[in-house]
Amino acid sequence: MYIVPKLDDYSPEALDRAVTELRQALSREEASISSQSEWKEFRDRWLARKNGILTQLNNVWLKPSPPDLKRTVGQVINALHPEIEHFVMNGQSRVEDIRTVLGSLSKDILASERLDITLPGIRRPIGVKHPVLRVMDEIVAVFKAMGYSVGKGPEVETDYYNFESLNFPPNHPARDTQDTLFIAGQEGKPARDRLMLRTHTSPVQIRTMEQQPPPVRIIIPGKVHRNDPLDATHSPVFHQVEGLAVDTNITFCDLKGTLDHAMKALFGSSVKTRFYPSFFPFTEPSADMQVSCIFCGGKGCRKCKFSGWIELLGCGMVDPNVFEFVKQYGYDSSKISGFAFGMGVDRLALLKYEVEGIQMFFEGDVRFLEQFA
Ligand SMILES: [Zn+2]
C-alpha cells in the first residue's frame, strides 16, 4: 500500500523520484482490482476529498515546501490529478468488463433454462368417469331425485351381514348361487364373524336399518365380488345398485310404481316394465323385472335375443324374517313393510355402450376407456 512520503529534498531529481514511485504504486493498485467494491475502495483511497492521496499530497508535499518552490510543487501535483483520474476510470471499465463477462455467462445459463411462455402448454388429460361409474351415478341420481339417500358399506363383510341376516341360514342352498370369495385364516372364528368379500350390496340394507329407525329410503351403489371365472358376461368383480324402502303400508304397487318410474327416467318415457315371479332369500314375494328392449323398442333384436324384453333387476317385498334381525332397532314386521331391489350396473353399461365383454371395463386399457372421454 502506497503511503505518501515526506519530502526533505525538493530538488527536481528528488521530486521526479517521488512522482515515479507514486505512479508505480497507482498502476500496481489499479491492476489488482477485480470487483466493483475493490474499485470503489481504490477510487476513494486516491481521490476522496477529505483524506485521499491527492489531498494528502497537498498537505505532505506542498504545504511544507520552501516558498520559492511552492509553484513548481503545485504544478507537479496538479499534473498528477488527471493521471490518477485516468487510472480510476481505467479500473472502473475493467471491473465493468468483468461484470459483463459474468453477466453473459449467466445469460447462457438463463438461455438454456429459458421457459418459452408462448409455447402451447403440456396437455395433461383430465380423467373422466369410468363408464360403469357413470351408469351407476345415473341410476343413483334417479333415486336421489325421488328422495332416496345414498348408503355405503364395507366391501369385506362378515358372514352375518352378507348371508345370515339376509335370511340365508348356514348351509342353506341359496348360498350356492353366490360363489363366495372367503378371506383365509378365519376358521378360528364363529361362523357368523368370518370375513368374505361381499357377494352383493344387500348387507348395507341391514347396516342401514341398524343405524336408523323406519322410515328408510336408501340407494346403495357398490362393488361386489363373486368367485366367477372371467368370461364375456361374468367377472369376479362387478357392481350393483341396491335399493330399500321401508315404511308403514308399503305394498308391491309401490315397488312397481317406483321401479317403473325409475326405468322411464333412465331409458325414456316409452319404456315398459313387467314383473315375473322369482326367488331371493331376503324378499317374499320376489320378482324379476324386465324392461321393453331399449334398443328395438320391443320389436325384437340381437340385444334382447329377439324377445323384445331385457331382464334388468331382481326385487321383492322385504321378507319378514329379515326384519326379525333388526327388530330391536324399531323394525316390527307387523307394523311396517318394505321393498328392495338390486341391479347389476356392469350389465347395464354393457348394453348401453354396446361393449362386447365385461372384462373390457376392468383391463384398464386406455384405448378402450378413451372412447368415453
Ligand atoms: Zn331388442
Side-chain angles (χ1 to χ4, degrees):
M1 280 288 214
Y2 180 72
I3 292 163
V4 181
K6 282 190 178 152
L7 296 179
D8 300 318
D9 185 357
Y10 280 88
S11 66
E13 295 84 357
L15 266 175
D16 254 343
R17 257 199 321 275
V19 167
T20 306
E21 259 176 46
L22 181 142
R23 281 194 182 122
Q24 284 169 349
L26 180 62
S27 162
R28 239 187 353 259
E29 283 188 33
E30 188 271 330
S32 71
I33 296 167
S34 63
S35 72
Q36 184 77 6
S37 60
E38 284 176 21
W39 172 75
K40 275 184 182 158
E41 233 175 79
F42 170 69
R43 177 196 62 190
D44 294 344
R45 197 172 124 66
W46 288 85
L47 288 178
R49 217 170 270 276
K50 205 169 175 191
N51 204 26
I53 286 167
L54 195 60
T55 309
Q56 286 176 45
L57 291 179
N58 284 325
N59 297 327
V60 181
W61 287 2
L62 185 61
K63 271 189 189 158
S65 64
D68 57 325
L69 289 174
K70 271 207 165 60
R71 192 181 160 84
T72 316
V73 175
Q75 279 170 349
V76 167
I77 292 171
N78 282 344
L80 281 171
H81 193 159
E83 273 192 63
I84 293 171
E85 273 183 344
H86 170 77
F87 273 93
V88 168
M89 275 163 68
N90 254 8
Q92 184 178 29
S93 56
R94 216 162 45 75
V95 165
E96 263 172 14
D97 285 347
I98 293 171
R99 274 162 50 119
T100 313
V101 170
L102 283 176
S104 70
L105 268 183
S106 59
K107 260 180 213 150
D108 285 345
I109 295 166
L110 278 177
S112 72
E113 294 178 359
R114 185 188 167 87
L115 187 70
D116 184 351
I117 58 163
T118 63
L119 284 173
I122 299 166
R123 195 175 274 275
R124 300 194 193 284
I126 297 168
V128 293
K129 266 184 195 162
H130 191 279
V132 170
L133 195 62
R134 196 189 286 183
V135 171
M136 191 145 79
D137 286 351
E138 281 172 18
I139 301 166
V140 168
V142 165
F143 284 92
K144 271 169 113 174
M146 286 192 271
Y148 283 62
S149 51
V150 178
K152 277 178 181 164
E155 284 174 34
V156 178
E157 203 37 288
T158 63
D159 183 281
Y160 175 76
Y161 285 108
N162 194 79
F163 286 130
E164 191 182 334
S165 62
L166 289 163
N167 204 27
F168 293 78
N171 304 317
H172 191 282
R175 289 190 178 207
D176 295 343
T177 64
Q178 303 190 357
D179 286 328
T180 310
L181 292 161
F182 292 94
I183 305 291
Q186 303 284 303
E187 295 77 10
K189 289 184 181 173
R192 58 160 50 185
D193 294 337
R194 290 183 194 167
L195 296 173
M196 62 187 66
L197 299 180
R198 68 178 179 191
T199 59
H200 46 187
T201 43
S202 310
V204 186
Q205 292 188 20
I206 300 294
R207 288 183 174 277
T208 303
M209 287 190 281
E210 286 181 354
Q211 297 289 319
Q212 65 176 90
V216 165
R217 272 172 190 76
I218 192 161
I219 188 85
I220 305 154
K223 194 187 289 172
V224 302
H225 303 80
R226 289 187 199 178
N227 188 20
D228 285 335
L230 190 65
D231 64 25
T233 54
H234 293 85
S235 160
V237 182
F238 57 103
H239 300 78
Q240 285 188 338
V241 171
E242 180 109 1
L244 174 71
V246 181
D247 207 337
T248 50
N249 297 321
I250 294 230
T251 69
F252 203 92
C253 288
D254 298 310
L255 167 60
K256 285 182 74 174
T258 301
L259 290 180
D260 191 71
H261 171 81
M263 293 307 121
K264 285 179 164 61
L266 276 172
F267 302 116
S269 56
S270 62
V271 84
K272 294 186 187 71
T273 55
R274 67 179 185 183
F275 295 77
Y276 272 81
S278 183
F279 171 79
F280 304 104
F282 40 97
T283 45
E284 181 59 36
S286 302
D288 283 328
M289 190 202 72
Q290 299 180 341
V291 292
S292 55
C293 181
I294 51 183
F295 301 100
C296 64
K299 289 190 200 81
C301 68
R302 211 168 70 86
K303 291 263 171 56
C304 58
K305 299 192 179 94
F306 303 97
S307 70
W309 294 90
I310 293 175
E311 196 176 304
L312 219 54
L313 58 78
C315 57
M317 302 305 291
V318 178
D319 193 308
N321 287 346
V322 170
F323 286 134
E324 282 300 306
F325 287 94
V326 286
K327 200 171 183 176
Q328 70 268 40
Y329 302 101
Y331 293 84
D332 180 346
S333 61
S334 67
K335 293 179 182 148
I336 47 115
S337 56
F339 64 79
F341 59 89
M343 61 189 110
V345 180
D346 315 75
R347 219 175 77 77
L348 258 175
L350 283 176
L351 284 170
K352 178 166 180 179
Y353 297 117
E354 306 186 35
V355 174
E356 291 299 322
I358 193 171
Q359 72 275 9
M360 305 284 281
F361 288 137
F362 307 123
E363 280 171 343
D365 187 333
V366 174
R367 291 167 302 177
F368 167 73
L369 294 171
E370 264 174 355
Q371 301 175 82
F372 303 96

